[in-house]
Amino acid sequence: MDTKVALLDCAEAALRERGYDGFSYADLAEAVGIRKASIHHHFPTKADLGLALIERYSHTFFAKLDEIAVRNPTGGARLKGYIAACRSALDEGRKLCLCIALCTGRDGLSPPVLVKLDAFHVTVANWLTEAFAAGAADGSIILVTDPVAEAHACLAQMEGAQLIARAAVDVGRFDSATAALSERLL
């Protein structure tokens, strides 16, 4: 495996489990089996590493959203796929979605990472808006009045559900928090 990829993989796992401030270059060096100075060759600063992480995660997550949209013809089915993806990111309550983990350590993030984090949320909210609009049009989501408002509420609900599930290390908390929304999906 390429050293840069190994570093990104280790850093992502650490960030999703312990937060942005919960790991150091020394931790990564030990996990990957290289000298700490070697990490600086790939990522001169932790801000550079954070930017690479969110760019990679965004690319992967957006590809997953595209796949969900292609595989699911109705808005309700797309939303079910999104909820499943958010649940899966929890790893049974041991981890958070990378972007949620970044949000919890917002004060330590560089401006470029904050810009990418905001862009991530905007893109997901736009995707959700399209899913809610499709669900309203095809009748697969019950009681959609405003797709934009629904999208923002859904995004907040998924992120909050992940946080409470992670705090309790209990994915059942995520299921409970998302049950009312899931019941609206046909």
Side-chain angles (χ1 to χ4, degrees):
M1 177 186 293
D2 172 271
T3 301
K4 187 173 185 176
V5 172
L7 287 168
L8 286 168
D9 290 347
C10 285
E12 181 178 333
L15 197 158
R16 291 179 59 204
E17 289 173 17
R18 299 188 302 272
Y20 186 74
D21 295 327
F23 72 96
S24 67
Y25 273 20
D27 298 327
L28 297 180
E30 182 178 335
V32 176
I34 62 174
R35 293 179 313 117
K36 190 169 102 173
S38 299
I39 298 172
H40 290 281
H41 169 73
H42 298 286
F43 305 103
T45 66
K46 195 168 180 184
D48 295 320
L49 175 61
L51 189 59
L53 284 168
I54 193 166
E55 287 173 345
R56 182 176 85 152
Y57 191 82
S58 294
H59 177 75
T60 302
F61 194 79
F62 298 156
K64 186 178 290 190
L65 292 181
D66 289 344
E67 180 183 326
I68 289 169
V70 167
R71 287 187 172 186
N72 297 287
T74 68
R78 289 178 197 153
L79 207 49
K80 285 178 187 177
Y82 172 73
I83 293 169
C86 291
R87 187 182 194 279
S88 175
L90 276 167
D91 189 25
E92 296 301 317
R94 292 183 295 270
K95 297 179 182 172
L96 290 170
C97 161
L98 181 111
C99 289
I100 297 169
L102 285 171
C103 285
T104 64
R106 183 192 190 289
D107 292 340
L109 301 177
S110 69
V113 173
L114 291 171
V115 167
K116 290 287 185 181
L117 185 58
D118 185 56
F120 177 87
H121 286 117
V122 168
T123 300
V124 173
N126 288 340
W127 187 91
L128 287 168
T129 298
E130 291 176 14
F132 275 103
D138 64 29
S140 64
I141 305 175
I142 298 169
L143 299 173
V144 176
T145 57
D146 179 351
V148 173
E150 292 268 14
H152 289 282
C154 179
L155 179 57
Q157 183 178 18
M158 292 306 115
E159 292 196 357
Q162 279 201 20
L163 286 169
I164 63 167
R166 174 66 180 113
V169 191
D170 179 4
V171 75
R173 302 276 180 100
F174 178 90
D175 297 335
S176 295
T178 60
L181 175 60
S182 295
E183 290 172 6
R184 294 176 50 207
L185 309 178
L186 303 176

